[in-house]
Amino acid sequence: MPERLIKGAEIILTMDDAGSELANADILIRDGVIAEIGSDLKTIGETILATGCVVTPGLVNTHHHLYQTLTRAVPGGQDALLFGWLNTLYPIWARFGPQEMFSATQIGLAELALSGCTMTSDHLYLYPNGARLDDTIAAAAEIGLRFHPTRGAMSIGESDGGLPPDGLVEAETAIIKDMIRVVDTFHDPSPGSMIRVGLAPCSPFSVSRDLMRETAHLARDKGVMLHTHLAENDEDIAYSLEKFGCRPGQYAEDLGWVGDDVWHAHCVKLDGAEIDLFARSRTGVAHCPCSNCRLGSGIAPVRAMRDAGVKVGLGVDGSASNDMGNMMLEARQAMLLQRVVQGADAMSAREALYIATRGGAEVLGRGEHCGQIKTGYRADIALWDTNGVDGAGSWDKVALILAGPSKVRDLFVEGVQVVRDYQLSGLDLPWALERQKQLALNLMQ
Ligand SMILES: [Zn+2]
């Protein structure tokens, strides 16, 4: 792979242990890796001028349902709580197939990339009409983001007392079989991996206790990560107490769902004992502030989690419960929400950016190679041009989420330029948007 040189960055926010911020510095990329950081570096390859830019590690999204990009702002679900929102959308999702999955994922990933995201997980837990995890993996390869798709699942339908319609649930034997298939086919554990598959039953209220336990065994056998929704809102806690006789943290622990290889989405309602459990066991959290606001779920105790040593990353959550997928705005929302509860010094702009980058990489098990601008780390890098109106007048350019752009100028993943001058390199976006519009119109009929 040719070399690339990012030259003359106004400031590089490295996210290293010392919190180093390097003024007027260069980054030399070679073979997908950061080869050198310094001043007056030279290259035999392309030079990208970064004058006036703040350079950060690429943002990392730890929770999403990319397929929902086709069902944003659906009127019946706009003002509903979580369970009512799901009941509005399930019948629409039941009409999806491979084309809808591909197109929705493609556009969702495009939106993430344009907001500076270099690595994202995805949680796909319904497979109607022949849709497969493979459809989303094909879309990710086109955009060029580092992708952590998770093979989700629902097995308890309406007739068994569950929430989803029977047509959207699968038999548990078929779920396990397909989990094995997608891990064996796609999972790559190497340091520069572009695809790592995880296993992810949708939530404790949509699969059986047996499937939760069996999935944990399978994940450990295969060396892949585990992911699900946990403690999202008060209804969720009430369900857990009523059906399982315990709080979600206890339920997770009993079934083997805590550890360095597990991350849970939301965790809005974790209590002190559960926060201690997550810190002790190195269990990760995908904090989804916009979704939590949108669905009225509450404010996750992120300050307490971080103080206790819990690994926290950010998630935009599904496109139908946000309904945007902009990682920079998500970081801003995370910072603002903690301040609502605990005051203006509860979370700095720098800390929120740390959570959005290095924090996310650690949650996804990539902290050794991604999430920092450091020699030897993978070249996942975002360039933010602070010369525009949104950054004008700022006395502290690094405080990007107080005053700065929410769209990235240039983005590199594994050293490859995925966004160049605000445009995606790997996708004809107008064509893809038109295709998605047609699919959405079909679903509305
Ligand atoms: Zn979710």
Side-chain angles (χ1 to χ4, degrees), residues 62-258:
T62 59
H63 186 63
H64 209 328
H65 311 286
L66 285 158
Y67 79 90
Q68 296 176 3
T69 314
L70 263 172
T71 53
R72 300 189 201 201
V74 172
Q78 278 185 24
D79 304 320
L81 288 175
L82 176 64
F83 286 11
W85 171 85
L86 282 170
N87 282 328
T88 303
L89 291 167
Y90 279 143
I92 304 172
W93 296 336
R95 297 171 57 203
F96 275 43
Q99 276 194 60
E100 284 78 8
M101 291 299 179
F102 179 89
S103 172
T105 304
Q106 186 185 51
I107 299 298
L109 289 171
E111 186 181 22
L112 284 173
L114 293 169
S115 74
C117 176
T118 49
M119 171 158 59
T120 182
S121 65
D122 185 37
H123 189 185
L124 181 60
Y125 51 81
L126 41 86
Y127 297 87
N129 307 308
R132 301 194 302 170
L133 197 68
D134 314 36
D135 305 319
T136 66
I137 291 170
E142 206 178 84
I143 305 282
L145 292 197
R146 224 179 270 287
F147 196 41
H148 284 218
T150 60
R151 207 300 180 183
M154 298 193 293
S155 63
I156 302 179
E158 250 171 337
S159 59
D160 292 321
L163 207 58
D166 290 350
L168 278 182
V169 304
E170 301 171 273
E172 297 197 343
T173 47
I175 291 167
I176 293 286
K177 201 172 155 201
D178 198 51
M179 283 177 168
I180 294 169
R181 179 187 72 83
V182 292
V183 170
D184 289 349
T185 308
F186 296 110
H187 181 69
D188 171 9
S190 70
S193 169
M194 294 298 286
I195 298 184
R196 287 200 187 169
V197 177
L199 304 182
C202 183
S203 64
F205 56 81
S206 52
V207 299
S208 74
R209 194 184 284 259
D210 282 349
L211 187 70
M212 291 293 287
R213 196 179 280 118
E214 221 176 309
T215 309
H217 287 148
L218 179 60
R220 268 127 205 174
D221 183 46
K222 295 280 185 189
V224 300
M225 291 189 72
L226 287 165
H227 180 50
T228 193
H229 295 98
L230 203 78
E232 182 165 351
N233 66 5
D234 289 328
E235 285 173 299
D236 198 331
I237 302 293
Y239 186 94
S240 187
L241 290 171
E242 189 197 323
K243 300 276 183 185
F244 311 134
C246 62
R247 290 186 51 88
Q250 180 75 54
Y251 186 73
E253 189 178 21
D254 288 350
L255 297 173
W257 274 76
V258 292

Side-chain angles (χ1 to χ4, degrees), residues 351-370:
E351 184 177 9
L353 287 169
Y354 178 100
I355 294 170
T357 54
R358 183 171 168 179
E362 288 171 353
V363 165
L364 294 184
R366 305 297 294 264
E368 310 256 298
H369 304 283
C370 302

